[in-house]
Amino acid sequence: MSHDHRRMHEATWSRADALAVLDPPERRRTQNPARLWKRVGLRVGDVVVDVGAGSGFFTFPAAACVGTTGRVYAVDVSKELVELVRERAEEGKFGNVESILSTRTHIPLEDGLADVAILANVLHGIPPKTVDEAVRVLRSGGRLVDVDWKKEATPEGPPVRHRLDVSEATAVMAARGLVRVASFELGPLHYVLVFERPRPARLPGHLVSAE
Ligand SMILES: C[S@@+](CC[C@H](N)C(=O)[O-])C[C@H]1O[C@@H](n2cnc3c(N)ncnc32)[C@H](O)[C@@H]1O
């Protein structure tokens, strides 16, 4: 295991880790973020919450898709990376990106504000409470996108025993009431699962109380 990916399992990443591991130019080929958002069908005006945003690898391409009427909240437990994304947003004039410091148990955003939440390369390393929080910020009918390493030996990435396979990741979301609506591959090493937070069932009119 490389020293870089041992850090994948620590709660926070430093700026130096992020720049070395999360931002190499070849990553854009193997985990093309623009391709991801196109497949997900992100729309102008959408609100996105990127949980464990790191250096903003998926944040900024999302911001380009949602435009000035949309918003992308880049959430991370690392103060250094929150600062890095804030600087990058300023430098790149991304007025629609807000960089937010979270804890492992709380994301300081209101319930149900997101059309789309993304957990990219984080589900295998975060506590259940962070997953609960990612679901909490999603509106009914909103979608949660999980990008993660395939559970197989690869030249890079976290140890295989720490990874979740597709059925394990699906079970994590099903336990929170989410329904899988799509799946596809992102390059040779990653899978993508898209889940929907169901809308509440509508009661027939005659069952709705007038009180
Ligand atoms: C492997 S990096 C992935 C970054 C980014 N999603 C990407 O794919 O480039 C994991 C990130 O999750 C953050 N992180 C770890 N635990 C977290 C938690 N409980 N809540 C929010 N962010 C967390 C780390 O600080 C780090 O920036």
Side-chain angles (χ1 to χ4, degrees):
M1 176 173 67
S2 75
H3 82 284
D4 296 321
H5 282 100
R6 195 170 293 137
R7 292 185 182 277
M8 184 86 73
H9 305 286
E10 296 175 359
T12 61
W13 282 45
S14 70
R15 177 183 283 252
D17 296 330
L19 293 175
V21 182
L22 302 179
D23 265 4
E26 64 271 18
R27 190 178 171 205
R28 269 165 229 288
R29 272 189 291 108
T30 56
Q31 289 180 66
N32 187 327
R35 180 169 166 260
L36 171 87
W37 290 126
K38 195 166 177 215
R39 282 296 296 267
V40 167
L42 203 58
R43 287 177 299 213
V44 169
D46 276 349
V47 174
V48 178
V49 178
D50 184 353
V51 179
S55 61
F57 185 79
F58 290 99
T59 303
F60 292 106
C65 292
V66 302
T68 53
T69 55
R71 196 142 200 88
V72 184
Y73 296 96
V75 173
D76 206 287
V77 291
S78 163
K79 275 189 191 157
E80 286 187 34
L81 296 196
V82 168
E83 195 45 45
L84 175 65
V85 169
R86 198 168 283 146
E87 285 169 18
R88 287 183 161 182
E90 277 170 19
E91 280 162 17
K93 303 205 188 318
F94 282 94
N96 59 353
V97 170
E98 198 168 323
S99 192
I100 292 188
L101 183 65
S102 62
T103 68
R104 286 159 63 81
T105 56
H106 184 57
I107 295 173
L109 289 172
E110 67 199 68
D111 295 2
L113 93 166
D115 299 294
V116 174
I118 176 167
L119 292 167
N121 301 301
V122 291
L123 184 60
H124 62 269
I126 57 175
K129 189 63 194 160
T130 308
V131 185
D132 294 342
E133 285 290 278
V135 174
R136 179 184 62 74
V137 299
L138 200 57
R139 68 166 169 81
S140 299
R143 287 170 300 152
L144 187 145
V145 179
D146 172 40
V147 180
D148 221 332
W149 294 87
K150 292 180 187 170
K151 196 174 171 81
E152 59 192 46
T154 51
E156 51 185 311
V160 175
R161 69 181 183 284
H162 290 168
R163 304 183 192 192
L164 300 177
D165 67 20
V166 165
S167 57
E168 290 167 327
T170 301
V172 168
M173 297 307 165
R176 291 164 173 83
L178 303 194
V179 178
R180 199 170 97 198
V181 292
S183 62
F184 56 94
E185 296 195 346
L186 190 65
L189 306 178
H190 291 81
Y191 62 80
V192 180
L193 304 176
V194 183
F195 300 90
E196 188 172 301
R197 183 173 191 180
R199 297 170 199 277
R202 287 178 62 177
L203 288 171
H206 68 278
L207 294 178
V208 178
S209 164
E211 288 175 79

